[in-house]
């Protein structure tokens, strides 16, 4: 089955600096790549997504880049703030007619004030 | 706002007990999912349902079953709970190219 690898598993960043989380996927048919943020005590929530016909997407301080040739995609958070501290999950969706996402193993991001 | 309600936030059960975890939505969505979340393993799909009485196994269905008698309610059943089923269980709806909406999770401890 599909496999999504996510690195690093933990990341500590000084407030104001940038954070980058990387994911690689195995299914060349994957064409949709969302990122979810899970705050303490809550379920994950979608923060940004990208489709395979686009190389980069930006939404204020967060951006996602996709390299289909290399089968990897990354989340970039600039000017990090304490509220960015959370667990982040990448995921992908194969286009073989199913509705199931395959999630990465998660990255615990800590912003140091 | 989408509301995904899970019946309990914390649950403690004994080995061998039958456990029901319930999830209720107010969105009239066809797709509902059950995941378990473990440190270092991420979110793993147990079962999903794409309509009433329709279900499909996910990646780790062993030891679990599900029930969807009404569109708004999706239940996860542990027929005979074991200690290795101690985990955080998350219900979600949506899917595909659309946002998945997650409930707050149920932390289950099996003693």
């Amino acid at each position: 089955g599909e496999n999504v690898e996510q690195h690093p598993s933990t990341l500590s960043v000084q407030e104001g600096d940038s954070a980058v989380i990387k994911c690689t996927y195995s299914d060349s048919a994957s064409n949709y790549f969302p990122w979810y943020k899970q705050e303490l005590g809550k379920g994950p929530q979608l923060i940004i997504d990208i489709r395979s016909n686009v190389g980069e997407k930006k939404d204020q301080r967060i951006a996602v880049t996709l390299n289909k040739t290399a089968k990897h995609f990354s989340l970039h958070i600039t000017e990090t703030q304490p509220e960015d501290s959370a667990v982040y999950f990448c995921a992908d969706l194969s286009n073989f007619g199913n509705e199931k996402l395959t999630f990465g193993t998660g990255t615990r991001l800590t912003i140091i004030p | 706002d989408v509301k995904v309600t899970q019946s309990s936030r914390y649950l403690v059960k004994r080995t061998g007990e039958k456990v029901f975890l319930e999830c209720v939505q107010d969105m009239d969505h066809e797709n509902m999912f059950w995941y378990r979340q473990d440190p270092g393993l991420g979110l793993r799909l147990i079962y999903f349902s794409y309509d009433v009485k329709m279900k499909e196994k996910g990646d780790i269905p062993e030891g679990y079953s599900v029930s969807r008698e009404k569109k708004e309610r999706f239940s996860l059943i542990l027929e005979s709970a074991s200690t290795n089923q101690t985990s955080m269980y998350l219900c979600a709806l949506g899917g595909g190219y659309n946002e998945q909406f997650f409930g707050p999770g149920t932390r289950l401890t099996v003693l």
Side-chain angles (χ1 to χ4, degrees):
Chain A
E2 169 62 341
N3 184 46
V4 177
E5 291 190 7
Q6 182 171 348
H7 298 281
S9 56
T10 61
L11 179 61
S12 294
V13 171
Q14 207 71 37
E15 183 178 351
D17 287 351
S18 296
V20 180
I21 303 170
K22 298 182 179 181
C23 288
T24 58
Y25 60 97
S26 59
D27 187 353
S28 56
S30 295
N31 61 0
Y32 173 64
F33 307 91
W35 285 88
Y36 283 78
K37 175 184 181 183
Q38 185 179 28
E39 297 176 343
L40 200 62
K42 297 183 179 180
Q45 192 169 7
L46 179 70
I47 55 170
I48 195 167
D49 56 11
I50 191 168
R51 301 214 180 185
S52 58
N53 57 347
V54 174
E56 183 174 357
K57 185 176 177 181
K58 201 171 180 181
D59 182 4
Q60 299 183 327
R61 295 186 299 106
I62 60 173
V64 56
T65 58
L66 171 65
N67 183 326
K68 282 220 78 176
T69 304
K71 292 187 196 165
H72 66 71
F73 57 112
S74 301
L75 177 71
H76 305 254
I77 306 174
T78 58
E79 300 170 21
T80 53
Q81 300 169 3
E83 56 264 35
D84 295 329
S85 292
V87 178
Y88 292 81
F89 293 98
C90 61
D92 80 344
L93 179 74
S94 169
N95 67 355
F96 284 128
N98 67 63
E99 306 279 305
K100 297 179 286 185
L101 295 174
T102 301
F103 285 88
T105 50
T107 297
R108 181 174 297 279
L109 174 64
T110 302
I111 307 302
I112 305 164
Chain B
D1 275 2
V2 175
K3 195 168 183 183
V4 184
T5 305
Q6 294 188 229
S7 50
S8 308
R9 293 299 302 269
Y10 299 94
L11 208 53
V12 180
K13 295 291 181 181
R14 297 212 173 269
T15 302
E17 278 193 79
K18 190 168 186 176
V19 182
F20 292 86
L21 303 182
E22 298 224 306
C23 177
V24 179
Q25 58 146 324
D26 66 350
M27 276 289 289
D28 200 36
H29 215 291
E30 284 81 16
N31 298 336
M32 296 185 77
F33 305 81
W34 275 107
Y35 295 89
R36 67 177 278 176
Q37 179 178 6
D38 300 288
L41 297 177
L43 301 172
R44 293 181 293 165
L45 182 65
I46 305 171
Y47 265 98
F48 90 100
S49 168
Y50 48 92
D51 206 345
V52 174
K53 296 191 189 295
M54 307 301 280
K55 61 187 179 186
E56 192 170 312
K57 291 180 181 178
D59 299 319
I60 51 163
E62 298 78 17
Y64 303 94
S65 62
V66 290
S67 171
R68 191 155 180 212
E69 297 296 318
K70 293 185 178 181
K71 196 172 188 181
E72 68 269 19
R73 190 179 297 268
F74 189 34
S75 302
L76 180 69
I77 304 156
L78 288 66
E79 293 289 342
S80 178
S82 63
T83 54
N84 63 10
Q85 293 179 308
T86 291
S87 186
M88 170 70 84
Y89 290 88
L90 289 162
C91 174
L93 55 113
Y97 296 100
N98 302 306
E99 179 173 359
Q100 276 199 12
F101 297 96
F102 286 84
T106 296
R107 185 165 293 283
L108 173 67
T109 302
V110 182
L111 301 175

